[in-house]
Each structure stands twice: as structure tokens, then as C-alpha cells.
Amino acid sequence: PWPSPSLSPGVPSAFVANWGDVFAGVSGATPGKQRDGVVDGSFSLGFGLGSSEKAVALELSGGCGSINRFCANGSFTGRIGRLLINEPDQRLALAAAWQNFAQWGDEGRQDNIYYGALTYAIPLRPPGSGFGQTLQFNAGVGNSTYAPFTESNSEDAIGGFGSIGIELSPALGLSAGWSGRGANAQLSYTPFRDIPITLNLLGSDLFNQTPAGAVAVFSIGWGTNFTTSNFN
């Protein structure tokens, strides 16, 4: 009845795109303690293959790391996921990802980043109430940016991440969590019933625990499924 708001505050979830799913996103971020006070952004595109309910789904995405320098750098990510439970009263999903499996640009090599994630979602209201009010938990472990910051060997560093999110209304979601390096909080809003657009306002590293410092990120996401009954 309404596009769901995001309940993952800069923390990976285990829900991956399936066959027919396509998505795009663009974001802009404040500079924090880096980039000499210059605001910059990024954008990405992705699609899904397979079925996470019947077997496994593979999500592939890629994007440009800078809008100001217009695709002077970027990378691709692959995620594989499986729905372990898919019932009206609960959903449990497991996923693994490889970020930066291919990359380009003149900013130097980025870390190969790997993580595993588990997501559990339940409705707080009974079926038939019209608004299920999803409560979602994300948890996982990964290397590099999902681990505490180190001056060297960041690719070898391992850490954990987790978050909790809740739908405040059919169109509004609030979430908070630990990214592995800092605390995040996010407000997510889907303004249109019939248009799958999500607006997110994310506060990243709220307590200035990394060299980048606290950063505000505004993002716009769009996603849909192009399949019809002939393809299901």
C-alpha cells in the first residue's frame, strides 16, 4: 500500500534485490573534517538476479564516488542473500557482500571490503490492521570500514555492526545503530504512495570517532520491479 521507508542507518541489511528489482540512488554529504569544507555526493545503480526465497539472490551495483569530479572514481559491489524465514509475522534474511570487487579512478586503490549480515523484521501490529509497523534488527561483521579505524592495515581490521529501526507511520521510519566505526541515526520518508521514492537524512559518526568526523548525508533512492506475471 505504501513504499517502505529505510530502516538501515548506514548499516547493511540482509535484504537483497531479487530478479526484476532495479534501483538507483543519489546522495550528498557535508565535508565533516575533510574535503576542505566542500560538499560532495555520489550516485549508484543496481539490479537483482535470482530469488532469495526459492534459493539465493545476487545483487549487483556500481556507482561513482564523486559528483564534483564526476565519476573520476567509483566501484562495484556484489551481494548474495537468502530469506531463511518469510512469513507474515516475521522475516529473517542472511547476506554476504564484496564491496569494491572492481574499481576505477585516480584516488588510489580502495580496500576490498567483505561483510556478512543478518536481518530480522517483525510487525508490531496484527495482520489486517492496515499498518504492520515493522521493527527491524540488523547485525553483522566485516572488515575495513566496518571495523574501528586504524592508521594502517585497515583491510585486515575486523569489526561488528548493528542497528534497530522502526516504522513510525506507513511513510516514516526512524533507525539508529553502530556502523563499526561510529554511531549513526537516520530519518527516512517515502512521500508518495504510488511512486517508489525514499528520502533519507542520515547523521554519520555522531560522536566524531573517525578522521572524517560527524557528517550529514541526504539521499534520494528509487526502486521498482519490472517483472509482470509472465516473468514470475
Side-chain angles (χ1 to χ4, degrees), residues 32-34 204-206 208-215:
K33 294 184 288 188
Q34 298 180 332
S204 176
D205 188 17
L206 297 176
N208 283 300
Q209 294 175 281
T210 68
V215 173

Side-chain angles (χ1 to χ4, degrees), residues 15-24 45-53 57-61 79 83 91 196 222-228 231-232:
F15 295 136
V16 305
N18 284 241
W19 165 243
D21 292 334
V22 292
F23 58 90
L45 303 167
F47 62 93
L49 300 169
S51 170
S52 59
E53 183 177 10
L58 173 65
E59 176 186 301
L60 296 172
S61 63
R79 303 203 305 153
L83 269 175
R91 298 181 77 198
W222 170 88
T224 190
N225 188 292
F226 64 76
T227 61
T228 67
F231 292 95
N232 290 333

Side-chain angles (χ1 to χ4, degrees), residues 49 81 113 118:
L49 300 169
I113 302 174
L118 190 69

Side-chain angles (χ1 to χ4, degrees), residues 9 28 30 33 45 73 87-88 114 143 146 175 177 226 230:
T30 59
K33 294 184 288 188
L45 303 167
N73 61 288
E87 302 294 340
Y114 311 97
N143 72 318
Y146 300 111
S175 56
F226 64 76
N230 295 327

Side-chain angles (χ1 to χ4, degrees), residues 163-196:
S163 68
I164 182 172
I166 187 171
E167 291 178 336
L168 302 178
S169 76
L172 189 65
L174 179 66
S175 56
W178 178 258
S179 70
R181 288 193 173 179
N184 294 353
Q186 177 178 270
L187 191 65
S188 180
Y189 179 52
T190 53
F192 309 110
R193 177 184 290 272
D194 299 318
I195 304 175

Side-chain angles (χ1 to χ4, degrees), residues 131-155:
F131 171 42
Q133 192 173 22
T134 297
L135 177 66
Q136 180 173 308
F137 301 92
N138 301 315
V141 62
N143 72 318
S144 187
T145 57
Y146 300 111
F149 176 77
T150 60
E151 293 289 346
S152 61
N153 298 322
S154 63
E155 198 170 60

Side-chain angles (χ1 to χ4, degrees), residues 39-114:
V39 174
D40 200 359
S42 62
F43 63 87
S44 63
L45 303 167
F47 62 93
L49 300 169
S51 170
S52 59
E53 183 177 10
K54 296 178 181 178
V56 294
L58 173 65
E59 176 186 301
L60 296 172
S61 63
C64 294
S66 173
I67 290 178
N68 290 344
R69 302 178 68 235
F70 198 70
C71 282
N73 61 288
S75 65
F76 295 91
T77 293
R79 303 203 305 153
I80 188 169
R82 167 74 176 172
L83 269 175
L84 304 176
I85 301 175
N86 189 25
E87 302 294 340
D89 61 344
Q90 59 178 331
R91 298 181 77 198
L92 178 65
L94 179 68
W98 179 5
Q99 295 179 214
N100 303 329
F101 71 81
Q103 52 188 294
W104 75 91
D106 55 9
E107 292 187 350
R109 175 187 170 277
Q110 305 298 307
D111 286 350
N112 282 294
I113 302 174
Y114 311 97

